[in-house]
Amino acid sequence: MTEIAAGAFITFEGGEGAGKSTQVQRLAAHLRVRTNRPVVVTREPGGSPKAEAIRDALLAGIAKPHGPFAEALLFSAARIDHLDTLIRPALARGETVLCDRFADSTRAYQGAAGGLDPELVTSLERVVVGPTRPALTLILDLDPVVGLARAAGRSDGAPDRFEAEALDFHARLRAAFRAIAEAEPERCALVDAGAAPDAVAAEIRAIVAARLPTLLRKAGDDAA
Ligand code: T5A
């Protein structure tokens, strides 16, 4: 009998310009070569056609005047479609899903930094995410002054709705992500995102190897 190794749901979190997109791509390339298995790379808000449309509205700041609860509801609406149409089907096929931001971003941006009641954030997350929780969350930790400078250097236009927030908002975000890592050490790993990209990628590979060793089994090694 052939046992098909299951993939894993891995999320990347952190402040603006921490290097999440860069490291999602790096880990995906590593896993594809190492395991010869499909790896789905996706992001939030977005990742499905309907969620990408909501992303455009959110990053343009359309919901900002309605406050953090309205924004959290829109991020949640996008997440529900993303989970239903992309993440859960991929996981059901045994594929690995690497997601650039997920529910911890709602906790940090709309909750801790935005001022939304933490109990409301928790209830929303329970309803929206249900059992589809990440096996591993890599939290890229970086001084927001450095992260915002990186984001500004890469950006081809004006700062988006969240990049444009004041520095103390971004300092609260960093503290919130660090607190999540501390509160859930089995799921989360804090990564020093101030190092060079190669060093950050190496640290992430080491964390994945230590936390999810079966994920690194090569296709074809499954025959019992
Ligand atoms: N949001 C999202 C919420 O408020 N609530 C939610 O529930 C969710 C899901 C999304 C926004 O939505 C908010 C959070 C965000 O504000 P986005 O455009 O997807 O907007 O923003 P980010 O996820 O922050 O993406 P960024 O592209 O700004 O940052 P990344 O992905 O962390 O960084 P990356 O990899 O693009 O790198 C940025 C630049 O730095 C360089 C890269 O080459 C690039 O130029 N870089 C490095 N430079 C030096 N050293 C390194 N180690 C580097 N790594 C990358």
Side-chain angles (χ1 to χ4, degrees), residues 16 18-22 55 75 79 101 106 109-110 154 195:
E16 305 293 319
K20 297 172 298 301
S21 312
T22 303
R55 173 190 175 92
F75 279 111
R79 186 162 299 135
R101 294 195 183 279
T106 308
Y109 278 77
Q110 283 66 54
R154 175 226 48 202

Side-chain angles (χ1 to χ4, degrees), residues 36-89:
N36 202 24
R37 294 179 188 283
V39 176
V40 175
V41 168
T42 188
R43 68 172 179 184
E44 287 209 348
S48 64
K50 286 178 189 158
E52 288 289 332
I54 297 173
R55 173 190 175 92
D56 291 343
L58 278 162
L59 297 194
I62 286 171
K64 184 180 178 187
H66 303 285
F69 190 27
E71 288 190 313
L73 290 174
L74 278 174
F75 279 111
S76 297
R79 186 162 299 135
I80 287 167
D81 189 68
H82 187 206
L83 279 162
D84 283 350
T85 64
L86 189 134
I87 295 175
R88 289 189 184 117

Side-chain angles (χ1 to χ4, degrees), residues 7-47:
F9 183 27
I10 301 176
T11 57
F12 289 67
E13 298 277 7
E16 305 293 319
K20 297 172 298 301
S21 312
T22 303
Q23 295 302 330
V24 165
Q25 295 297 341
R26 295 278 192 114
L27 182 61
H30 170 70
L31 290 177
R32 285 178 185 129
V33 168
R34 179 78 196 260
T35 70
N36 202 24
R37 294 179 188 283
V39 176
V40 175
V41 168
T42 188
R43 68 172 179 184
E44 287 209 348

